[in-house]
Amino acid sequence: MAQLVPAANFEPSSSPAEATAAKADVLYLRSLLGEHADFPKPGIVFLDIFPIFRSPFALETLFTHLMHHITTVTLPANKINKIDVVVGLDARGFLLGPPLALRLHAAFVPVRKQGKLPGEVVKASYEKEYGTDIFEMQSHSIAPGQSVIVIDDLIATGGSAKAAGELVALQGSSVLEYLFIVGLPFLKGADKLDAPAYWMVEGD
Ligand SMILES: O=P(O)(O)OC[C@H]1O[C@H](OP(=O)(O)OP(=O)(O)O)[C@H](O)[C@@H]1O
Ligand SMILES: Nc1ncnc2[nH]cnc12
């Protein structure tokens, strides 16, 4: 990965001052991301979000930025005034989903790797940048027609996010938007998705 830059799909905001502040958030968070060559496999440059979690200021910046995006872009674009469900993906999406759901007064629903959730589940298999897996979601955890967003730390090939969208569809609902801290647009993951994707930082 030669460079980490603010994302091309970065949505500024309602005023120039807010746009400048939002861009500063992105530059700040980008500066904290770790980069690890050849992890977990040779040829993969692993982008680590955990340095953000080591700083309360950075974490506050991250969630404030996401809330601003959702309230100024996601809700108006979908002509709704509330997100009902935040879906977070195993495992790093679990760190982002519940705090965001709390701020949105929404439900949090986990998508887990297979064999971890009790009760009846729906399943979707998927391929990601460095492997294959099966995702599960508890049946009836989303009611048909609820407004749903998906959050994860990073989109690479889009396989994981696509599988999450399939699980939401199996519950009779659909995803309004997929949100990430980092996008790798050269892998064209967003092309696989059935709704817009937003990420703050992108790698080339
Ligand atoms: O766009 P994709 O090619 O599908 O790759 C992205 C996924 O890969 C990573 O998860 P991983 O499965 O490594 O799980 P972890 O969060 O448990 O480490 C990342 O957190 C995303 O969920
Ligand atoms: N390059 C990458 N860095 C961190 N997480 C990932 N998940 C898939 N690809 C990844």
Side-chain angles (χ1 to χ4, degrees):
M1 186 118 0
Q3 226 188 346
L4 284 169
V5 296
N9 70 351
F10 174 76
E11 298 272 2
S13 61
S14 37
S15 75
E18 283 181 15
T20 304
K23 204 154 217 165
D25 293 348
V26 169
L27 291 169
Y28 168 54
L29 296 173
R30 183 203 72 179
S31 76
L32 295 180
L33 286 177
E35 259 187 80
H36 300 271
D38 299 322
F39 182 87
K41 288 186 175 168
I44 302 289
V45 178
F46 189 89
L47 295 171
D48 181 18
I49 58 160
F50 285 123
I52 295 174
F53 284 78
R54 294 201 283 268
S55 159
F57 183 79
L59 209 49
E60 187 65 46
T61 302
L62 172 64
F63 285 107
T64 301
H65 183 99
L66 289 172
M67 282 299 291
H68 186 257
H69 170 78
I70 291 165
T71 52
T72 61
V73 177
T74 317
L75 295 179
N78 289 285
K79 298 188 172 50
I80 53 173
N81 51 28
K82 189 176 183 321
I83 298 296
D84 297 318
V85 182
V86 177
V87 170
L89 309 194
D90 194 347
R92 283 166 268 158
F94 292 175
L95 303 168
L96 301 168
L100 190 61
L102 200 56
R103 290 190 184 201
L104 289 165
H105 301 285
F108 171 72
V109 172
V111 163
R112 291 217 67 181
K113 290 174 186 166
Q114 75 169 331
K116 303 283 187 182
L117 287 171
E120 192 190 321
V121 294
V122 288
K123 291 172 188 283
S125 57
Y126 64 98
E127 211 167 307
K128 62 183 175 186
E129 195 183 12
Y130 43 73
T132 57
D133 223 320
I134 295 178
F135 265 161
E136 295 178 347
M137 180 187 277
Q138 285 173 312
S139 301
H140 315 297
S141 52
I142 299 176
Q146 283 194 301
S147 55
V148 180
I149 58 173
V150 169
I151 186 143
D152 203 1
D153 63 325
L154 178 144
I155 179 167
T157 65
S160 309
K162 178 172 184 277
E166 288 166 8
L167 295 177
V168 173
L170 286 169
Q171 311 264 12
S173 198
S174 58
V175 176
L176 298 179
E177 189 172 27
Y178 295 83
L179 299 152
F180 308 92
I181 303 173
V182 186
L184 303 181
F186 62 95
L187 292 173
K188 303 204 180 308
D191 296 353
K192 291 198 176 84
L193 305 180
D194 56 357
Y198 174 74
W199 52 83
M200 299 171 67
V201 177
E202 69 190 20
D204 61 7

